[in-house]
Amino acid sequence: MVEKIVEELRPFFDPKAVAIIGATNKKGKVGNVIFENFKTNKERGIFKGNIYPVNPKLDEIDGYKVYHSVEELPDDTEMAVIAIPAPFVPDTMRQIAKKGIKAVIIITGGFGELGEEGKKLEREIYEIAKANGIRVIGPNCVGVYVPDTGVDTVFLPEEKMDRPKSGPIAFVSQSGAFAAAMLDWAAGAGIGIGKMVSYGNKLDVDDADLMEYFIHDDTINVVTFYIEGVKDGRKFMEAAKKITKVKPVIALKSGRSEYGAKAASSHTGSLAGADTIYDAVFKQTGIIRAEDFEHMFDLAKAFASLKDKLPKGDRIGIITDGGGAGVMASDAVARFGLRMAELSEETLRYLKEHFPPHAVAGNPTDVVGDTDAERYRIAIEAFVNDPNVDAIVVIVLFQVPLLEDEKIIEILAEYQKKSDKPILAVAMGGEKTERYARMLEERGVPVYPTPERGVRAMAGLVKYAEYLRRGA
């Protein structure tokens, strides 16, 4: 069963050859953008497979032979991307079935989300797929993005939407527009996405299938979902229970209100259901529910860097060079259900011995505004060695005059690497601070722009660690 799902879904992420049905030479059209994506990635040496554009009215696009029908396609075609009007899709699926292609992404919209006629078309496609062992992503989606293999069916051109670098986060979205916007945002924020799947109306491949697949995907550390509704609750729960034993799953579930549920129904034809049911399902299966997209990616960033050093408890140590920021972080500890660590007598004595009199030894420990990087090192060393501290939040206001920027970055990266306690940083400021934050993240330290967001991300690690300790 396990090998079956990996074998079935693998062509979506790394096909030997892709057919783009509806490819065109008209710039800006969906079929042209998708073709250009693959062509560009092949020229860059990222996409290694063959590209077969399909259009009955063309013979050639940018030097590529155009096939007039699915029947003419070479036998190594593993995946077909469909970008033609909805009424033509069922016949195309019959041709795909006859050709023996087993993975299909239907970008086209105009199906179940539009009412009964569209649902009838969906059922027809599903029956063809089911009878012929074809797996289908979509319809009404932007498909798949995999930076490592060059698969990119997102029909928004690169000049209008940046693509994120590769990373250990999988992002699955029911909404195509949301998926595209999040990829663009992740690129700007420097967040790496290993695989993105937009599945739209979930005709066939759904959340559960993808969870089963990602269990076995060594390139992915954490899986994030944007969900409007789940069609098969039992299947979803079984898959979720399996994957959360080995990898964290974060879900942003919309349609919480009556208005939102109605909007979800008209968007992808989803039945959002009672939100309290989703709360219960997520709790039971160990899925961490995100409050908003910012929260989802804050959590994902923490898990991507710190999954292998989850906190052993909920006692948080805070180090800061700004008293106000320390207070804000302390409030956040209480707000998100964590505890402030009670530092040991040995730690307090060590800090007092090594600090100047005006620095504050405690929790928060305030190295104050005339700090240098070495004072941070003393505090971090003490917190790392204190058995009463389970996780550490280090607030760095890079603006203070005596703090050596590169040295504090080096210190944080060093302790992140050698400590078995999770350490995350908070850096508040403008462009200069953002540059330092990027440098820290490149060294494996997740950084957050406010104390609240940093502590909330740490709370997600604590919650998942507790779930695993309870025996998942």
Side-chain angles (χ1 to χ4, degrees), residues 389-408:
V389 178
D390 297 313
I392 304 167
V393 175
V394 182
I395 302 167
V396 183
L397 303 179
F398 280 96
Q399 298 86 347
V400 301
L402 299 178
L403 185 62
E404 310 95 318
D405 310 324
E406 291 187 8
K407 194 171 177 186
I408 182 60

Side-chain angles (χ1 to χ4, degrees), residues 319-322 351 355 365-368 371-382 393-398 400 403 407-408 411-412 415 426:
I319 300 166
T320 181
D321 58 352
L351 292 175
F355 276 175
T365 277
D366 187 354
V367 294
V368 297
T371 190
D372 58 7
E374 194 55 34
R375 213 178 288 167
Y376 267 105
R377 180 193 292 279
I378 291 165
I380 296 170
E381 173 77 18
V393 175
V394 182
I395 302 167
V396 183
L397 303 179
F398 280 96
V400 301
L403 185 62
K407 194 171 177 186
I408 182 60
I411 288 169
L412 276 162
Y415 279 93
V426 172

Side-chain angles (χ1 to χ4, degrees), residues 194-205:
K195 288 184 176 67
M196 184 284 295
V197 179
S198 150
Y199 50 40
N201 293 7
K202 287 196 281 194
L203 173 76
D204 174 39
V205 173

Side-chain angles (χ1 to χ4, degrees), residues 221-298:
N221 282 352
V222 52
V223 183
T224 59
F225 282 92
Y226 167 71
I227 298 172
E228 291 180 1
V230 171
K231 288 179 180 173
D232 188 337
R234 185 180 296 275
K235 183 183 171 191
F236 179 90
M237 288 184 71
E238 286 174 0
K241 283 178 183 172
K242 280 189 207 170
I243 190 171
T244 54
K245 287 176 184 169
V246 290
K247 293 180 185 181
V249 175
I250 302 157
L252 173 58
K253 164 70 178 62
S254 65
R256 301 182 87 152
S257 66
E258 182 186 343
Y259 296 137
K262 190 176 176 183
S265 177
S266 62
H267 180 209
T268 53
S270 291
L271 294 172
D275 198 63
T276 50
I277 294 175
Y278 282 95
D279 265 338
V281 167
F282 292 159
K283 191 174 180 182
Q284 192 177 339
T285 57
I287 291 176
I288 301 165
R289 184 166 191 168
E291 295 299 318
D292 48 44
F293 90 87
E294 199 172 63
H295 186 203
M296 181 167 73
F297 280 104
D298 281 351

Side-chain angles (χ1 to χ4, degrees), residues 110-121:
F111 290 93
E113 75 276 16
L114 293 188
E116 196 47 47
E117 277 302 308
K119 286 179 183 170
K120 190 177 166 188
L121 279 178

